[in-house]
Amino acid sequence: MSEDGKVLVEFKNVDKRFGGGKIIVMDDFSFSFTKGETHIICGRSGAGKSTLIRCINALETIDKGSIIIEGQELGHKTMHDIRKKVAMVFQDFNLFPHMSVLENVTFGPIRSLKKKKEEAIESGLMYLDRVGLRDRADAKPAQLSGGQKQRVAIARALNMHPDLILFDEPTSALDPEMVGEVLNIMKMLSEEGRSMIVVTHEMSFAKEAADKISFLENGKFIETADPDTFFDHPKHESVKKFIDQVYNK
Amino acid sequence: MHLHEMVVYITRGIGITFKLVPCVIVSTLIVGMILGILRFKNIKVISQIIDLYVTAIRGIPPLVILMALYFTVKLGSSFMTAFVALTIYHGAYVTEIVRGGLEAVPKGQMDAGKSLGLGYMRIMASVYIPQIMLQIIPTLCGQYILVVKDTTLVSVVGLQDIMWNAKELIAVTYDPIRVYFIIGVLYFVVCFIIDLIASRVEKSVSGRYQAQLAEKGAQ
Ligand SMILES: Nc1ncnc2c1ncn2[C@@H]1O[C@H](COP(=O)(O)OP(=O)(O)O)[C@@H](O)[C@H]1O
Ligand SMILES: [Mg+2]
């Protein structure tokens, strides 16, 4: 992949606060994400991981600094274009309950990318096949298990043919026995060289799939490393403590 | 005068109600959808204006709106005056019903729509409105029962509705008790039918909801 190595997302000196400035999510935060990478973000609950990745497709606005995506600065005018290129998978799926599985997967391509219906259905079925749910195309989300719902959400993201996929704790709302089926798909996508930014605390996924792991605390990535270094030789005391609490129970 | 003659005479006026009510249902639905959707977007100035409208209407009796329109704005016909007055009045309530419905949709639906690159109006039309429609129908029906009842007011602007005919009839028969009894029964029947529709829908909605819960529970 010749284009790998290209910077896809860049945060430049970004500030983001809530609660009248009391809650710091990003503080003079800079970060660049390279095309083709799988970058995992972890951190304590409330550290601001969700807010950080939601800023990438303008679901949250920033107070200061800039976010540049594929050379375009994220702003009011560019936001819709950028959202078409950046897909997102949410913790609680957010499927459209009144639409069938296939409609969920084709709605974005048809309405937003203005794809032809047949084309969107064909690629939609292909992606549903890849997440193992082609035979549930006509089901309603309410008829699916949590793991199946999240797989549909991934197919919905893929059918947007995105340049980047954001995952916000995609397995946190799942019963334990369903975590594996979702992680396996994410591993497959990572191996394909898709660009992924993933908020997760799943160590198996981190070790197998991540190129980099970052730890968010006090508005900054206080540690960024490859998975082995991150888990085995973290530099910061608070990262060590976090790893002990979360992974070495 | 026989009872059935009286019924026939009064009922002639019900044509106005049957013309007015569907018009007001459609117009308040349009007003309510537009204002409810605008209010839900939470743009400061627009929201303030809509809130002002809704609050004002809550404190003003519909009869006052009707009279105010009748004496200030020349709307061409009594029917138009009644139609506009009832639209202004009930439109405020439908706005609140629509907004309440939109607020009840999980926030994640908006996030999901936005991250597909869709605009606000498209998300409203394809994601929110279809989801709230069934939920708000019972409440809407409750509002439309009030619309039906408020049509008893329109004779004050010269519309020859049931009440108009009733007054005429009383002038000849000197029998207000029977006349108003007939009117009461007529209105009751109309409202009862709407109520029936509402509870049917409510049952089917809550039935579906229960079914969804059962499915979730079974996971
Ligand atoms: N819309 C909001 N308004 C006010 N505070 C918020 C909002 N969203 C998040 N927060 C606060 O910002 C902090 C970071 O939240 P979040 O990004 O969800 O953290 P994480 O995903 O790491 O758990 C938390 O303290 C949270 O309460
Ligand atoms: Mg979070």
Side-chain angles (χ1 to χ4, degrees):
Chain A
M1 265 179 240
S2 58
E3 277 194 300
D4 279 11
K6 193 174 109 183
V7 172
L8 202 63
V9 179
E10 188 158 26
F11 281 61
K12 282 185 182 167
N13 309 98
V14 173
D15 279 3
K16 173 70 180 172
R17 288 162 192 243
F18 283 119
K22 271 186 248 133
I23 300 169
I24 299 171
V25 175
M26 282 176 276
D27 175 30
D28 197 27
F29 177 84
S30 295
F31 154 64
S32 65
F33 172 83
T34 310
K35 190 175 158 73
E37 275 184 346
T38 298
H39 195 128
I40 289 183
I41 297 171
C42 57
R44 290 185 189 282
S45 168
K49 308 175 295 293
S50 297
T51 309
L52 192 164
I53 69 165
R54 287 165 61 85
C55 284
I56 299 173
N57 62 358
L59 293 180
E60 299 280 354
T61 53
I62 56 175
D63 302 333
K64 239 197 227 160
S66 55
I67 299 174
I68 292 148
I69 293 156
E70 297 193 310
Q72 250 185 325
E73 178 163 353
L74 190 56
H76 224 74
K77 287 202 193 107
T78 55
M79 138 183 128
H80 287 288
D81 279 345
I82 288 173
R83 281 177 181 159
K84 287 175 192 170
K85 297 190 276 189
V86 179
M88 184 153 185
V89 175
F90 302 89
Q91 182 172 347
D92 32 18
F93 330 125
N94 297 340
L95 294 179
F96 304 124
H98 57 299
M99 297 181 192
S100 72
V101 163
L102 184 61
E103 283 164 346
N104 264 279
V105 172
T106 56
F107 177 57
I110 294 170
R111 292 297 190 176
S112 178
L113 305 179
K114 312 286 180 202
K115 285 255 158 73
K116 285 213 192 68
K117 197 172 168 195
E118 305 78 58
E119 207 182 315
I121 289 177
E122 195 190 326
S123 60
L125 285 172
M126 190 262 290
Y127 286 121
L128 281 177
D129 196 37
R130 291 198 59 193
V131 301
L133 288 169
R134 191 187 175 112
D135 56 329
R136 304 308 306 274
D138 295 323
K140 284 281 168 70
Q143 297 166 300
L144 304 179
S145 72
Q148 290 174 327
K149 281 183 199 163
Q150 197 60 299
R151 282 148 63 195
V152 172
I154 293 174
R156 175 172 72 177
L158 291 172
N159 206 23
M160 289 294 286
H161 307 286
D163 295 343
L164 167 65
I165 311 178
L166 309 170
F167 294 83
D168 188 7
E169 305 208 36
T171 57
S172 297
L174 298 178
D175 292 336
E177 74 272 19
M178 295 173 183
V179 170
E181 61 191 71
V182 171
L183 289 182
N184 285 337
I185 290 165
M186 290 170 60
K187 281 175 200 163
M188 173 183 86
L189 297 176
S190 177
E191 276 162 25
E192 284 173 12
R194 287 186 183 267
S195 307
M196 299 162 59
I197 299 180
V198 186
V199 175
T200 185
H201 292 144
E202 293 292 340
M203 182 146 72
S204 75
F205 178 74
K207 287 202 163 159
E208 279 182 51
D211 295 297
K212 285 179 193 156
I213 305 182
S214 294
F215 189 85
L216 179 68
E217 191 172 83
N218 297 328
K220 292 210 165 69
F221 281 164
I222 59 166
E223 182 128 5
T224 296
D226 63 87
D228 291 335
T229 316
F230 184 89
F231 286 114
D232 300 335
H233 312 286
K235 283 203 263 338
H236 283 77
E237 216 28 65
S238 66
V239 180
K240 243 178 240 164
K241 224 158 121 197
F242 177 81
I243 290 171
D244 278 341
Q245 283 168 346
V246 175
Y247 300 106
N248 307 331
K249 279 175 272 197
Chain B
M1 212 180 216
H2 289 293
L3 186 69
H4 74 267
E5 284 174 314
M6 289 170 77
V7 173
V8 170
Y9 189 83
I10 294 171
T11 315
R12 254 189 249 141
I14 213 167
I16 288 291
T17 302
F18 281 150
K19 252 196 275 177
L20 199 51
V21 170
C23 290
V24 174
I25 287 179
V26 171
S27 65
T28 51
L29 210 51
I30 293 170
V31 168
M33 283 288 174
I34 293 173
L35 295 186
I37 285 171
L38 283 174
R39 179 63 188 79
F40 182 67
K41 199 168 186 197
N42 252 327
I43 297 167
K44 203 170 169 211
V45 184
I46 296 174
S47 296
Q48 281 171 341
I49 295 170
I50 295 172
D51 286 349
L52 187 70
Y53 161 61
V54 171
T55 314
I57 292 300
R58 278 221 185 104
I60 302 174
L63 185 61
V64 174
I65 296 174
L66 203 54
M67 296 310 278
L69 267 184
Y70 183 61
F71 286 114
T72 57
V73 192
K74 292 278 165 277
L75 281 168
S77 69
S78 307
F79 184 85
M80 270 310 279
T81 308
F83 167 72
V84 173
L86 290 180
T87 300
I88 292 175
Y89 183 76
H90 291 280
Y93 288 92
V94 177
T95 299
E96 278 299 280
I97 293 170
V98 171
R99 177 170 81 122
L102 296 175
E103 305 269 2
V105 175
K107 253 195 97 250
Q109 294 289 304
M110 180 61 81
D111 291 340
K114 281 181 179 172
S115 43
L116 293 173
L118 297 158
Y120 183 74
M121 278 303 161
R122 168 54 58 196
I123 297 173
M124 285 295 123
S126 300
V127 178
Y128 275 67
I129 299 298
Q131 287 190 58
I132 69 165
M133 249 3 252
L134 280 177
Q135 322 280 344
I136 65 172
I137 283 175
T139 331
L140 280 177
C141 285
Q143 194 62 37
Y144 293 141
I145 286 175
L146 298 179
V147 172
V148 172
K149 289 186 183 173
D150 281 352
T151 59
T152 54
L153 303 171
V154 299
S155 64
V156 300
V157 295
L159 264 188
Q160 303 192 7
D161 72 327
I162 290 192
M163 298 308 276
W164 182 286
N165 287 7
K167 270 175 230 155
E168 281 186 346
L169 201 56
I170 293 167
V172 217
T173 60
Y174 301 106
D175 192 355
I177 298 183
R178 273 214 279 187
V179 169
Y180 283 114
F181 179 75
I182 294 168
I183 291 175
V185 171
L186 281 176
Y187 270 94
F188 176 77
V189 169
V190 173
C191 293
F192 187 74
I193 293 170
I194 298 180
D195 234 358
L196 221 55
I197 297 170
S199 63
R200 273 281 166 81
V201 174
E202 202 156 23
K203 260 198 205 124
S204 98
V205 172
S206 74
R208 274 183 217 194
Y209 185 64
Q210 292 299 334
Q212 281 185 10
L213 283 186
E215 275 165 17
K216 275 185 194 156
Q219 275 171 26

